[in-house]
């Protein structure tokens, strides 16, 4: 990756994730792990060609399958670092959903660490509400409506409610 979008995205996700975590009164060690994980959650995208990452329009099934490998690649990279906190595990689960429809492992419910649930919400909101290399922002309102729609099925209700609160749309 040679563009500047990924670090900007990760810093914005980290800021929102920390706000959500603080609202939920997450302990200091878990908050630190969440912050570190958010700052590097997409590191595995380094293995994906920029032409696919920045492609305007719909990805092919093959391209989307390749994109989905970034969570496992990120885990593999981070798991080689001797963190005292579960940073790699949080990153590995940042595309998992409560109903088991996420990736890469299809985890469901309590199999997903609370910090990963927070990261998922923050990542969705940031991804939708900011310009992406391949499309303009859909807006904060659309992002918040989307997490409300997914609340309780795919997304952790407490993380969604905390996000709505910190974004000024208390549930």
């Amino acid at each position: 990756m040679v563009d500047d979008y990924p670090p900007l995205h990760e810093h914005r996700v980290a800021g929102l994730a920390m706000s959500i975590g603080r609202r939920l009164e997450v302990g200091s060690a878990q908050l630190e792990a969440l912050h570190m994980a958010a700052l590097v959650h997409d590191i595995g995208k380094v293995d994906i060609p920029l032409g696919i990452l920045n492609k305007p329009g719909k990805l092919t099934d093959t391209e989307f399958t390749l994109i989905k490998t970034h969570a496992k690649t990120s885990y593999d990279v981070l798991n080689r670092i001797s963190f005292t906190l579960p940073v790699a595990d949080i990153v590995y689960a940042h595309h998992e959903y409560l109903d088991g429809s996420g990736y890469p492992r299809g985890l469901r419910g309590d199999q997903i660490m609370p910090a990963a649930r927070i990261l998922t919400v923050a990542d969705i909101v940031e991804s939708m509400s900011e310009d992406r290399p391949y499309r303009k922002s859909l807006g904060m309102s659309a992002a918040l409506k989307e997490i409300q729609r997914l609340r309780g099925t795919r997304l952790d209700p407490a993380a969604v409610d905390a996000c709505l609160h910190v974004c000024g749309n208390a549930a």
Side-chain angles (χ1 to χ4, degrees), residues 24-108:
L24 292 173
E25 299 180 355
V26 170
S28 61
Q30 190 177 7
L31 207 56
E32 183 180 351
L34 174 60
H35 187 246
M36 285 192 280
L39 288 173
V40 295
H41 72 276
D42 282 341
I43 197 169
K45 287 184 177 178
V46 72
D47 279 351
I48 300 171
L50 278 175
I52 293 174
L53 286 176
N54 297 336
K55 179 183 175 181
K58 187 167 173 48
L59 296 173
T60 67
D61 289 343
T62 302
E63 290 167 336
F64 187 60
T65 297
L66 182 60
I67 291 279
K68 291 188 332 185
T69 66
H70 84 276
K72 174 71 163 79
T73 303
S74 296
Y75 171 80
D76 291 342
V77 168
L78 296 169
N79 199 39
R80 289 183 281 208
I81 300 169
S82 296
F83 289 109
T84 58
L85 299 166
V87 174
D89 294 318
I90 295 167
V91 169
Y92 200 8
H94 82 277
H95 283 289
E96 301 287 0
Y97 294 134
L98 295 179
D99 65 3
S101 67
Y103 65 88
R105 297 173 288 167
L107 300 179
R108 45 176 62 249

